[in-house]
Amino acid sequence: MRVLVTGAEGMLGSVLLPRLQKKHHVCGVDQRDFDIGDESSVTRAFRELRPEFVFHLAAYTDVDGCEANPQKAEQVNALGTRHVARACADLGAGLLYISSDYVFDGRGKRPYREDDCPNPLSVYGLTKLRGERYVQALVARHIIVRSSWLYGPGGKNFVATILKLATERSELRVVSDQHGSPTYTRHLSLKLVELVANGAYGIFHVTGSGECSWHEFAVAILRSGGYPQVRVIPITTQESGRLAPRPAFSVLENLRLAESKLAPLPPWTQGLAEYLREI
Ligand SMILES: NC(=O)c1ccc[n+]([C@@H]2O[C@H](COP(=O)([O-])OP(=O)(O)OC[C@H]3O[C@@H](n4cnc5c(N)ncnc54)[C@H](OP(=O)(O)O)[C@@H]3O)[C@@H](O)[C@H]2O)c1
């Protein structure tokens, strides 16, 4: 199958690409090749490359940056996804789009299911949701995968940031009132390939198993990463002073994976152990 991956040089793309290359003719594209916010560039590139299936990973992922620059967020995350979806529809290609736990408001009392009503708090969450809507409206053969708290090689992520800070400071302040599920990109990319191979369709929640707060995640990183002496002070979201609002509880129930008899991802603690061995 001729497969195209957008955002191929991003954190998830850099892990997914080699995995896909074992089975498919894969072309990875990034911002250097063309801007997904520019419809004519997208159409031209897709007509040239003629993919049969597209993994659309490219996005403006800086959550606070999106809040400060909503026009860019709309252009890349919402309209960029519309351009990709239209180009897929033109060619009759299937499309897998990566969305986010930030489409939910986090006021729920139990893990969010695929058919729970989204209500994003941030510009990033809103524009990712608008991307979902374009995919659903334009591409018959689509999969929307909502994931959360990604970490892995080849990108800026929470684990790498905490380990770097641990070499510079004896005390870190980390938010303890946001809960979610950390997800290792190698585990996620395996499941993406499996979903496509199984002819899956519609929305799937795919995250590392289990949940924690950012504070608990930081403590686990420092303990397993060789910095148990670094103190982690719990702080509130308000104290963190971040620009974009974030959901307090964005744990996703991976219900459709279970209904489809597909194994859940390993626990996030296992993903963390594997990542730490890798680096
Ligand atoms: N990171 C998370 O915790 C998380 C959680 C849930 C869902 N997701 C979603 O998962 C996907 C992959 O995330 P990631 O963490 O791997 O992201 P990432 O490392 O930030 O990579 C995003 C990629 O998109 C490219 N890109 C950005 N703007 C573009 C544009 N206008 N035209 C073409 N390419 C553009 C970037 O290229 P440049 O590097 O050249 O800018 C980069 O290669 C995204 O769709 C994200 O929304 C991420």
Side-chain angles (χ1 to χ4, degrees):
M1 188 160 72
R2 274 191 313 280
V3 172
L4 178 67
V5 180
T6 72
E9 287 175 22
M11 182 167 60
L12 180 59
S14 66
V15 167
L16 178 66
L17 208 74
R19 191 163 296 287
L20 286 168
Q21 276 163 339
K22 290 181 184 160
K23 282 196 177 166
H24 304 288
H25 298 285
V26 187
C27 178
V29 290
D30 219 281
Q31 198 152 194
R32 262 186 303 174
D33 302 292
F34 58 87
D35 178 353
I36 59 161
D38 176 29
E39 182 160 25
S40 56
S41 305
V42 174
T43 310
R44 200 176 323 116
F46 273 58
R47 288 195 178 145
E48 209 172 284
L49 299 166
R50 305 201 69 73
E52 295 162 282
F53 199 93
V54 176
F55 288 78
H56 177 39
L57 275 45
Y60 181 27
T61 57
D62 175 349
V63 176
D64 293 316
C66 287
E67 209 67 20
N69 198 345
Q71 273 179 336
K72 179 177 170 189
E74 171 71 12
Q75 194 64 33
V76 177
N77 295 347
L79 298 179
T81 301
R82 182 173 75 175
H83 303 151
V84 168
R86 273 200 181 147
C88 286
D90 271 355
L91 296 170
L95 173 60
L96 185 150
Y97 169 62
I98 303 285
S99 187
S100 164
D101 56 329
Y102 283 14
V103 299
F104 293 112
D105 62 20
R107 295 184 189 120
K109 297 276 176 283
R110 56 150 177 82
Y112 287 95
R113 296 179 181 151
E114 285 85 350
D115 62 356
D116 281 331
C117 201
N119 183 33
L121 302 174
S122 62
V123 170
Y124 171 74
L126 177 66
T127 54
K128 290 298 289 182
L129 179 64
R130 283 170 51 69
E132 287 190 13
R133 300 291 193 242
Y134 286 125
V135 169
Q136 289 168 321
L138 294 167
V139 186
R141 201 157 51 94
H142 72 258
I143 309 173
I144 293 168
V145 171
R146 295 190 187 126
S147 195
S148 63
W149 295 24
L150 297 188
Y151 63 93
K156 213 177 130 193
N157 67 72
F158 185 74
V159 181
T161 302
I162 290 291
L163 290 174
K164 182 171 178 292
L165 289 175
T167 64
E168 300 162 358
R169 301 182 195 171
S170 58
E171 195 174 279
L172 308 179
R173 291 157 56 81
V174 181
V175 168
S176 61
D177 58 359
Q178 290 171 32
H179 287 76
S181 301
T183 306
Y184 182 36
T185 51
R186 290 203 189 280
H187 291 164
L188 174 61
S189 61
L190 267 175
K191 196 57 67 180
L192 299 182
V193 174
E194 196 182 341
L195 281 171
V196 173
N198 281 358
Y201 168 83
I203 302 178
F204 283 80
H205 289 172
V206 185
T207 61
S209 298
E211 61 179 83
C212 60
S213 67
W214 288 113
H215 178 268
E216 289 164 331
F217 193 20
V219 169
I221 294 163
L222 293 169
R223 257 197 215 132
S224 314
Y227 299 94
Q229 76 284 4
V230 176
R231 282 185 64 209
V232 193
I233 314 285
I235 60 166
T236 63
T237 299
Q238 209 177 1
E239 285 172 306
S240 77
R242 302 295 288 270
L243 185 58
R246 285 151 167 88
F249 179 81
S250 65
V251 179
L252 304 180
E253 183 176 353
N254 293 196
L255 184 62
R256 287 205 62 215
L257 274 189
E259 286 175 350
S260 311
K261 308 265 181 285
L262 293 171
L265 261 52
W268 66 263
T269 46
Q270 183 181 327
L272 175 61
E274 286 180 30
Y275 178 47
L276 290 175
R277 268 200 301 277
E278 182 176 1
I279 57 174

